[in-house]
Amino acid sequence: MDKKLYMVSLGAGDAELVTLKALKTLQNSDVICIPTKDKNDNFKKSITHKIVQTLFNDFGFQIKIIPVYTPMKFKVSDWQRQVEILVNATENYDKVSFVTLGDAGVYSTVYYLLDIIKVQNPQIYENCEVLAGVTSFSEASAKIKKPLCVGDSSLSIVPLIDRKLKNTTIYMRPVRGFDTQIIKEQGDIYTFENLNFKGEKIIKGKKKIVEKYMTLFIDFFKKD
Ligand SMILES: C[S@@+](CC[C@H](N)C(=O)[O-])C[C@H]1O[C@@H](n2cnc3c(N)ncnc32)[C@H](O)[C@@H]1O
């Protein structure tokens, strides 16, 4: 049986925002790896741990937990050590989950770890699944009933750092027949059609003419 590694997004800090898919994945895991900023692997201040514990209590299950010391210093040696914990877990267990706050696709440790795993453990990378979650800004928007974007407005997510930024652009709401020539891609662009619906298509590259309204293009930032 193939080992599975799940990168599970837990949503924006409230167990009620955990998706059903994330809940089921955690319930079916053999072990859950939870990040902690505490050197001594204490979970006292860990929000992710609190969410997982709430799920254990509310849904009546209990899974072994492995702490993953995560100092958030953006050091390769820290990510490497975290990867070793995950890889070691997959050697001992068939289904391993690693949890993260918000959505894994937005400024999360998950992709630093996956970049390393992809090179050092391609088999685990192939058998890894990332589960999407509710972002902090989606939750913020909902709390005050203010849309992030509507009609002809767009949305920017900008890290507050004093450096030149690489950019990911998401193009949404096309009309059918729209000629995508106008999109000047900067990085790696993908076309996503009918995600999770009948006829789902994920195409590396830009579809020339939009066929379906449920199409979005993501021009992912280019890595160094
Ligand atoms: C490392 S990023 C993680 C973002 C997360 N993956 C997401 O999908 O929202 C952490 C930043 O997200 C924002 N953030 C995350 N959770 C938040 C919360 N509960 N309230 C306010 N801001 C939050 C803050 O700007 C914080 O500095």
Side-chain angles (χ1 to χ4, degrees):
M1 183 190 158
D2 275 343
K3 306 274 188 169
K4 288 288 281 188
L5 173 63
Y6 298 97
M7 299 302 199
V8 181
S9 305
L10 292 180
D14 176 354
E16 302 255 321
L17 296 177
V18 172
T19 64
L20 270 179
K21 194 168 181 172
L23 173 63
K24 287 181 187 169
T25 300
L26 294 177
Q27 284 174 320
N28 290 321
S29 295
D30 298 310
V31 71
I32 303 173
C33 299
I34 304 186
T36 169
K37 284 188 217 156
D38 189 307
K39 248 199 191 101
N40 302 314
D41 288 344
N42 195 303
F43 285 121
K44 248 191 209 146
K45 289 188 183 156
S46 163
I47 302 169
T48 39
H49 181 263
K50 203 166 147 200
I51 294 173
V52 171
Q53 201 58 54
T54 303
L55 297 177
F56 286 171
N57 295 339
D58 291 1
F59 293 91
F61 68 108
Q62 186 81 44
I63 310 277
K64 181 182 164 60
I65 287 172
I66 295 181
V68 182
Y69 175 49
T70 308
M72 312 245 307
K73 297 259 162 61
F74 297 93
K75 277 169 68 183
V76 177
S77 56
D78 288 334
W79 296 324
Q80 181 66 52
R81 202 190 46 252
Q82 291 160 42
V83 163
E84 277 155 26
I85 296 174
L86 298 190
V87 170
N88 190 269
T90 61
E91 281 160 9
N92 294 310
Y93 301 93
D94 289 335
K95 291 184 189 146
V96 176
S97 283
F98 174 79
V99 291
T100 189
L101 273 183
D103 176 61
V106 180
Y107 301 124
S108 140
T109 316
V110 161
Y111 284 95
Y112 293 114
L113 306 187
L114 279 181
D115 279 351
I116 297 176
I117 293 174
K118 188 176 186 177
V119 174
Q120 297 178 353
N121 307 84
Q123 185 73 34
I124 296 177
Y125 181 81
E126 283 310 311
N127 289 330
C128 173
E129 221 177 284
V130 179
L131 276 63
V134 176
T135 65
S136 50
F137 49 84
S138 298
E139 173 70 345
S141 152
K143 278 203 192 249
I144 60 163
K145 296 194 282 275
K146 256 186 157 335
L148 292 169
C149 35
V150 76
D152 60 1
S153 55
S154 69
L155 165 70
S156 307
I157 303 166
V158 180
L160 291 169
I161 50 171
D162 191 13
R163 253 178 276 148
K164 191 173 180 299
L165 302 174
K166 289 166 272 184
N167 187 50
T168 292
T169 307
I170 305 172
Y171 300 92
M172 301 174 73
R173 291 182 59 235
V175 287
R176 278 187 290 167
F178 183 85
D179 187 336
T180 62
Q181 232 179 9
I182 194 170
I183 300 175
K184 302 285 175 237
E185 59 265 41
Q186 315 279 323
D188 294 326
I189 195 160
Y190 282 72
T191 306
F192 299 87
E193 242 179 42
N194 277 8
L195 278 183
N196 294 329
F197 304 156
K198 193 165 166 252
E200 173 185 286
K201 268 194 206 146
I202 299 176
I203 304 160
K204 190 170 184 341
K206 185 179 68 176
K207 198 161 174 172
K208 201 177 164 322
I209 302 288
V210 172
E211 281 179 68
K212 302 195 182 322
Y213 173 67
M214 287 300 181
T215 299
L216 59 87
F217 302 90
I218 305 185
D219 188 6
F220 291 93
F221 74 92
K222 241 201 171 30
K223 285 187 187 164
D224 295 326

